[in-house]
């Protein structure tokens, strides 16, 4: 499946922090996912909706991605990490949802659209 078409279980960073606090007092193995799967195209569309901007996801080839990394003079280890992420990790193996956050925190994880709306309202994405 091409990268970008795979549903990813985006997890909110604040939820990760809340889980980290909890795991210090309640050891265990928990797998964290957001409440739904989103492709990158879906995520970008939600950011566009939250910001009121017309932004779109455009898939590029692996070769173009690698070329773009090289053009920004990234350290080789960083470029290798990103290359692995987009060629190995985003192959569909994460296309599942779990109840880890709900089990640990007793609440639903934050939805991506909520994250996008809150971030847009904060002005962090304004130029």
């Amino acid at each position: 499946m091409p990268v970008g078409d795979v549903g990813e279980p985006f997890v909110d960073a604040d939820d990760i922090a809340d889980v980290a606090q909890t795991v210090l007092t309640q050891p265990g193995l928990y797998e964290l996912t957001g409440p739904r799967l989103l492709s990158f195209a879906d995520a970008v569309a939600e950011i566009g909706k939250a910001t009121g901007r017309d932004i779109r996801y455009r898939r590029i080839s692996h070769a173009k991605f690698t070329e773009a990394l090289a053009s920004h003079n990234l350290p080789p280890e960083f470029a290798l990490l990103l290359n692995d992420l987009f060629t190995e990790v985003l192959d569909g193996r994460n296309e599942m949802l779990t109840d880890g956050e709900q089990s640990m925190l007793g609440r639903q994880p934050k939805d991506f659209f909520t994250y996008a709306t809150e971030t847009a309202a904060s002005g962090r994405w304004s130029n």
Side-chain angles (χ1 to χ4, degrees):
M1 185 174 288
V3 171
D5 295 335
V6 174
E8 289 297 321
F10 288 89
V11 179
D12 182 71
D14 290 335
D15 285 350
I16 293 170
D18 291 344
V19 167
Q21 282 183 316
T22 304
V23 81
L24 293 173
T25 59
Q26 299 174 26
L29 181 60
Y30 300 92
E31 188 161 357
L32 308 180
T33 69
R36 62 192 170 112
L37 298 171
L38 295 165
S39 69
F40 282 109
D42 295 334
V44 169
E46 293 205 3
I47 292 170
K49 184 176 176 183
T51 61
R53 295 179 181 171
D54 182 21
I55 59 174
R56 298 168 194 204
Y57 172 80
R58 182 175 56 114
R59 188 175 9 172
I60 61 172
S61 70
H62 178 72
K64 282 225 182 248
F65 178 72
T66 303
E67 182 182 306
L69 290 177
S71 74
H72 290 287
N73 299 317
L74 294 174
E77 60 276 4
F78 188 69
L80 180 62
L81 174 69
L82 288 174
N83 184 40
D84 284 349
L85 174 67
F86 287 105
T87 58
E88 300 295 328
V89 177
L90 298 176
D91 63 358
R93 73 181 79 180
N94 293 324
E95 202 167 25
M96 66 177 183
L97 299 175
T98 67
D99 67 349
E101 285 179 70
Q102 176 135 7
S103 295
M104 287 193 77
L105 302 176
R107 63 171 173 79
Q108 286 290 319
K110 185 183 288 184
D111 185 72
F112 187 84
F113 186 69
T114 302
Y115 156 77
T117 302
E118 288 173 356
T119 303
S122 76
R124 283 179 266 181
W125 289 338
S126 299
N127 290 351

